[in-house]
Amino acid sequence: MQFELASIFFFVAVGLTVPLAMLGIGWIVRPRVPNAQKLTVYECGESPVQAAWFNFTPRFYIVALVFLVFDVEVAFTYPVAVVFRRWVARGAGGFAFVELLVFVAILALGLAYVWRRGDLDWVRAVGQARAAAEPRPATDDPLEQEISLSI
């Protein structure tokens, strides 16, 4: 009992010590040469054209999170499908099947909720109507026009 507890403490100690040691060594060894260009906002090697804080729609992130949820569903469902024949042989096939159906039903309910809210639509009709009603700021810079149109 004590040996198992000691091995757990050992792994926790190693798991905390190694990352902290690596961060500490990096902090000591890395060069410190600050300048104004290094402190600017990084935009894929391009010079910043406006402030880094601007309004954006989180719709793309919501769709990405929904995709991630269903991707994880496949990751959890596939192992059950692989061992389902063994579970039937043991007599636990009905339980596994019902458990899998409940899991998929909960995810389908979540998909219906997200779909009903309209979070899967790339362009919402209300957003289009509102965007058309709002006047766009006039500017001569084509890059700023493109940015204001994408917001």
Side-chain angles (χ1 to χ4, degrees), residues 18-80:
V18 169
L20 290 176
M22 294 298 167
L23 288 171
I25 291 170
W27 182 73
I28 292 169
V29 174
R30 92 173 54 101
R32 292 178 189 84
V33 187
N35 62 31
Q37 186 176 9
K38 287 183 180 179
L39 297 177
T40 60
V41 177
Y42 179 72
E43 293 186 13
C44 299
E46 298 292 326
S47 298
V49 294
Q50 68 179 19
W53 295 101
F54 60 90
N55 292 332
F56 67 97
T57 176
R59 195 170 314 124
F60 303 112
Y61 298 106
I62 291 172
V63 171
L65 286 174
V66 169
F67 170 76
L68 186 65
V69 165
F70 284 97
D71 193 36
V72 169
E73 172 207 356
V74 170
F76 284 142
T77 306
Y78 184 74
V80 173

